[in-house]
Amino acid sequence: MSLNFWVKANSYSGVDFITSGTGAENFKVRMGGTGSVFFYTDGTGNRVDSPVGSISTSTFKMITIVYDGSGSTNTDKVKIYVDNVLSSYNGNGAILSSIPNNVKDIILAGDGANIILDEFVFYDKALTSSEVSALYNSGSGDSTPDTNGMVVHYNFEQTGNTLENQGTTISDYTTNIDGMIDEYFINSD
C-alpha cells in the first residue's frame, strides 16, 4: 500500500489528517506539533515518524508513505519520503505485517487538521523509489500519475462539492471509494 500527496500546513496542529477505519483496525497519517509525519499501522500506537519539519508552513511538500508488510524490520515495512528523499527511521513499537483489509472509508483533512492537501493518490502496492521519483517529477508533481496499482486519485481541481476520482481503475481493496466530499469525509457508501 502506498499513499502519495502534497501538503502544506497553515499551522502545526498535531492532528490526524488521513485516517481509515476505527480503533485497532485502521491506519492513519498524523502531523506532529513540529511538522513531523507519523504513519500508524494500527490504533495501538505502532508508528514510523519522519524528521521534524517534514511538513512546511511556507511551501508544499510531497509526502509518500510506502508500506510493505513483508519486510523483516520496521524500516523494511514502512518508508516515508519527503520531496523524493527517503527519511531516516524514527518510530515506536512494532509495525504490523499486515494492515487490516477492511478499509472502507478514508477521511482526508479531518477535524482540526489545519492543512492544505493536494494530489492525493492511494495505491494497493508498495511503490518503488523510481515510482516515487516519477511522482515527484523534479518538484513539479505529476498530474497524470501511473495507474498501475492505483486505487484512487483526487487532484482537488473540481468546483462545487463533488470530488471526482481521477484514477482510471477502481479496486475492491477499498470498497470502491469513488466518493463525495461531505465535510472532508470521503464516503464509499
Side-chain angles (χ1 to χ4, degrees), residues 83-123:
D83 285 346
N84 195 33
V85 175
L86 181 60
S87 297
S88 58
Y89 174 80
N90 294 304
N92 182 49
I95 300 302
L96 298 179
S97 294
S98 66
I99 292 177
N101 199 15
N102 64 348
V103 175
K104 183 173 180 183
D105 298 320
I106 295 177
I107 300 171
L108 302 177
D111 292 338
N114 196 3
I115 63 165
I116 301 170
L117 191 64
D118 200 12
E119 293 294 336
F120 175 81
V121 188
F122 180 97
Y123 290 93

Side-chain angles (χ1 to χ4, degrees), residues 10 28 42 72 77 81 108 110 165-166 171 174 187:
N10 292 317
K28 66 182 173 181
D42 60 33
S72 58
K77 292 178 183 177
Y81 294 83
L108 302 177
N165 178 8
Q166 303 303 308
S171 168
T174 57
N187 188 330

